[in-house]
Amino acid sequence: GENVEQHPSTLSVQEGDSAVIKCTYSDSASNYFPWYKQELGKGPQLIIDIRSNVGEKKDQRIAVTLNKTAKHFSLHITETQPEDSAVYFCAATYTGFQKLVFGTGTRLLVSP
Amino acid sequence: NAGVTQTPKFRILKIGQSMTLQCTQDMNHNYMYWYRQDPGMGLKLIYYSVGAGITDKGEVPNGYNVSRSTTEDFPLRLELAAPSQTSVYFCASSYSQGGRDYGYTFGSGTRLTVV
């Protein structure tokens, strides 16, 4: 079955710096890759997603890139702000599977 | 729309007790899921449902049961609670359209402690 690995487990940056979180998936059939932000005491919130027919997608300060050949996808956050501090999860699934498989999460800390 | 609503938010159970975690969605999503999240870990799928009357096991189903009598509701039942079931439980829903999956939406979670 699908397995998703996520690195790093913790990431500390200064406000204004960029942050990059990387994930690797195992099932070549996977074609949908969402990213979730989880703040303390809350459920995961979808922040951006990408499908396998697209190599990159941007939404203001966040972007996601996908390398299907290497089975890698990454989250890029530019101009980080303290409110970006949270745990970020990547996930993967494929059409017909219906089940998201999650990475183990990255705790991002943005210091003022 | 309220989205995905979970109750209760917190619960302490004694070993051997039973309880039902409630989950309701008002988005008419056909798929619903139960995940558990242990400290420092990702989310593990317990059970899922592709529609009313249809449920299936996920990665960690032992000790749990589910039912899906309506599109809106997907309760998770814990029988004979054990300390290993101490976790945060999340319900989620999604839908498919045109051969694509959309809208994975999570509830705010139920924090369960078994003592």
Side-chain angles (χ1 to χ4, degrees):
Chain A
E2 176 64 281
N3 182 52
V4 177
E5 295 187 357
Q6 183 172 348
H7 300 281
S9 57
T10 59
L11 180 58
S12 294
V13 300
Q14 293 291 315
E15 183 176 0
D17 288 348
S18 294
V20 180
I21 303 170
K22 299 180 179 180
C23 288
T24 303
Y25 62 98
S26 62
D27 195 330
S28 58
S30 289
N31 59 4
Y32 178 61
F33 308 92
W35 285 89
Y36 286 85
K37 176 182 180 182
Q38 186 177 28
E39 297 176 329
L40 195 62
K42 298 184 178 180
Q45 298 290 317
L46 179 69
I47 56 172
I48 195 168
D49 57 14
I50 192 167
R51 298 186 186 271
S52 59
N53 58 340
V54 176
E56 182 177 4
K57 184 177 178 180
K58 291 183 179 180
D59 183 2
Q60 299 183 334
R61 295 186 298 107
I62 61 173
V64 58
T65 58
L66 172 65
N67 182 330
K68 288 179 59 180
T69 302
K71 298 181 189 172
H72 289 169
F73 59 112
S74 299
L75 178 70
H76 304 253
I77 306 174
T78 59
E79 300 173 21
T80 54
Q81 302 167 1
E83 51 265 38
D84 294 329
S85 296
V87 178
Y88 291 81
F89 290 96
C90 63
T93 190
Y94 55 86
T95 303
F97 188 57
Q98 269 87 46
K99 295 166 283 188
L100 285 176
V101 178
F102 285 85
T104 51
T106 297
R107 184 173 299 278
L108 174 64
L109 176 61
V110 181
S111 303
Chain B
N1 285 352
V4 178
T5 302
Q6 290 184 238
T7 57
K9 293 189 181 300
F10 304 94
R11 183 73 185 269
I12 298 174
L13 277 183
K14 293 185 178 179
I15 294 172
Q17 288 185 321
S18 302
M19 76 164 293
T20 299
L21 282 66
Q22 302 291 345
C23 176
T24 299
Q25 54 94 7
D26 62 357
M27 299 172 285
N28 203 33
H29 286 180
N30 47 340
Y31 304 122
M32 295 189 74
Y33 315 85
W34 275 105
Y35 286 89
R36 62 176 285 173
Q37 184 178 33
D38 299 323
M41 304 292 287
L43 289 88
K44 300 290 187 182
L45 183 65
I46 305 171
Y47 269 96
Y48 68 103
S49 169
V50 300
I54 306 170
T55 63
D56 207 349
K57 296 178 181 179
E59 187 178 357
V60 289
N62 291 345
Y64 307 95
N65 278 300
V66 293
S67 59
R68 183 97 181 269
S69 56
T70 67
T71 299
E72 296 79 18
D73 300 311
F74 191 42
L76 178 71
R77 178 81 177 164
L78 278 72
E79 305 281 1
L80 300 175
S84 61
Q85 294 178 304
T86 294
S87 190
V88 181
Y89 292 84
F90 289 101
C91 180
S93 68
S94 70
Y95 68 99
S96 285
Q97 189 173 54
R100 287 186 166 187
D101 299 323
Y102 294 90
Y104 288 91
T105 304
F106 284 80
S108 57
T110 295
R111 185 175 295 274
L112 175 68
T113 302
V114 182
V115 296

